Amino acid sequence: MAPPRPKYLNLIQIRLPLPALVSILHRASGAVLFLILPFLLVLFEWSLESPQTFARFKTVFSHWAIKLMLVGAAWAYLHHLCAGIRHLALDLDYGTELAAARASSWAVLAVSVALTAAVATVIW
């Protein structure tokens, strides 16, 4: 007889492997990019309207909270890019072994965080 199935899932106790976490973050960063793109396009349009709107644009973007949101958007973009390259390699059957999948997951996290730190230094 099969063991009884749980009546609920405790999502806090479930430990996902690192490749699964990178894949979930890839989807989440894609959703964030999709949602933030219209906002960024409007800001880009405002920055190009006139010298006065560009000065207002610079004033708004000098606030630390806006800079922090830009760094978050940069992380979403860079993580989505790195994880997308990893997924393309997996689709071509490169790195599908467990050790290689874990190593590429660590590489995606390390490279995306390092590139985000570089972008953050430029923004700040």
Side-chain angles (χ1 to χ4, degrees), residues 2-106:
R5 293 176 54 184
K7 295 183 190 222
Y8 66 94
L9 290 175
N10 189 349
L11 297 177
I12 297 172
Q13 290 182 343
I14 295 175
R15 286 194 42 153
L16 292 174
L18 187 64
L21 182 64
V22 168
S23 180
I24 290 170
L25 287 174
H26 180 249
R27 290 173 185 237
S29 64
V32 167
L33 290 173
F34 177 75
L35 293 174
I36 202 170
L37 187 63
F39 176 70
L40 292 176
L41 288 174
V42 167
L43 290 178
F44 181 64
E45 179 187 4
W46 287 350
S47 72
L48 297 177
E49 277 184 12
S50 68
Q52 294 82 13
T53 58
F54 182 70
R56 190 172 356 150
F57 177 81
K58 281 178 58 175
T59 304
V60 168
F61 274 80
S62 65
H63 194 268
W64 66 270
I66 302 295
K67 288 181 181 181
L68 190 62
M69 288 188 337
L70 279 178
V71 169
W75 173 83
Y77 172 72
L78 293 168
H79 178 80
H80 195 75
L81 175 70
C82 295
I85 293 170
R86 177 183 177 269
H87 282 294
L88 285 174
L90 290 173
D91 287 343
L92 295 173
D93 206 27
Y94 292 112
T96 54
E97 296 82 25
L98 182 59
R102 286 182 180 158
S104 66
S105 297
W106 279 112

